[in-house]
Amino acid sequence: MPLLDRHGAKAEIWARSEGAAIGTVSHALVEWAALPEALAQKTRDQRIGVVIPNTVRIPELKLLMRQLSLIAISFPSFGDGRGFSLARLIRNHGFTGTLRASGPLIVDQFAYALACGFDEVELPEASAARQPVEQWTRALGQISHGYQRGYGDSGNILDRRRSARLKHAAAG
């Protein structure tokens, strides 16, 4: 499955494990159900990542976050936005590792995914075939401001409008 970040395509360094068997790989990626057993097997130099469904509750995940280097949130479809909310919650609860969106997202969601705290997006082959990497990187420059507060670096549209009205009223 193709992997990309804000700079374009990137190489996958994570080895997906069957069950909790992580062996001696340096970066092991396990499913949510296998995580406790994989963490128990982890050696000091290994990095552990987990693939979670977008229905995981923060209290279930919060206790394990410090032991993880990557959290991949599954998106069952591009229309199911729960993964965006979950990513924001995970970042708000202090996770500093790599946050990955995994599933059939579309180009129009890329900037929003990054603004929500994702570092990278993993696409199914079918999605990548319809929308190549160049479209994804080009899409980042298309949206400069959002409507939601707290997403991205450049204030939201509503606050910018309010600020402009206040400046105009103070000047006039």
Side-chain angles (χ1 to χ4, degrees):
M1 292 204 299
L3 185 62
L4 54 123
D5 64 12
R6 69 180 66 251
H7 305 292
K10 67 181 281 188
E12 174 65 90
I13 62 168
W14 293 87
R16 291 186 184 269
S17 299
E18 293 296 322
I22 59 173
T24 60
V25 298
S26 62
H27 292 76
L29 184 59
V30 300
E31 295 294 326
W32 175 241
L35 181 61
E37 189 178 340
L39 287 171
Q41 296 176 31
K42 176 186 177 293
T43 64
R44 194 167 82 93
D45 295 331
Q46 278 182 311
R47 303 263 186 246
I48 301 291
V50 64
V51 178
I52 62 172
N54 64 2
T55 56
V56 167
R57 302 269 182 220
I58 286 295
E60 298 173 74
L61 184 60
K62 189 174 179 180
L63 298 174
L64 303 169
M65 282 194 303
R66 279 194 266 145
Q67 300 174 67
L68 300 171
S69 297
L70 176 129
I71 298 175
I73 300 174
S74 295
F75 281 76
S77 74
F78 76 89
D80 187 339
R82 292 177 289 178
F84 295 116
S85 300
L86 184 56
R88 193 68 182 167
L89 287 170
I90 289 170
R91 288 293 187 210
N92 286 345
H93 280 88
F95 182 69
T96 58
T98 302
L99 198 53
R100 176 185 290 182
S102 181
L105 296 181
I106 59 175
V107 167
D108 294 346
Q109 295 171 313
F110 194 33
Y112 186 61
L114 296 175
C116 287
F118 285 108
D119 299 297
E120 55 193 34
V121 174
E122 179 183 42
L123 298 169
E125 294 292 341
S127 296
R130 280 191 308 275
Q131 296 179 314
V133 172
E134 297 76 30
Q135 277 186 293
W136 288 81
T137 53
R138 201 170 40 247
L140 288 179
Q142 301 300 312
I143 300 173
S144 58
H145 304 295
Y147 281 97
Q148 296 86 0
R149 283 192 171 108
Y151 292 88
D153 297 331
S154 63
N156 67 66
I157 291 169
L158 299 174
D159 287 343
R160 286 172 169 261
R161 286 180 181 168
R162 182 177 295 121
S163 176
R165 274 195 310 266
L166 292 173
K167 284 181 186 175
H168 181 71

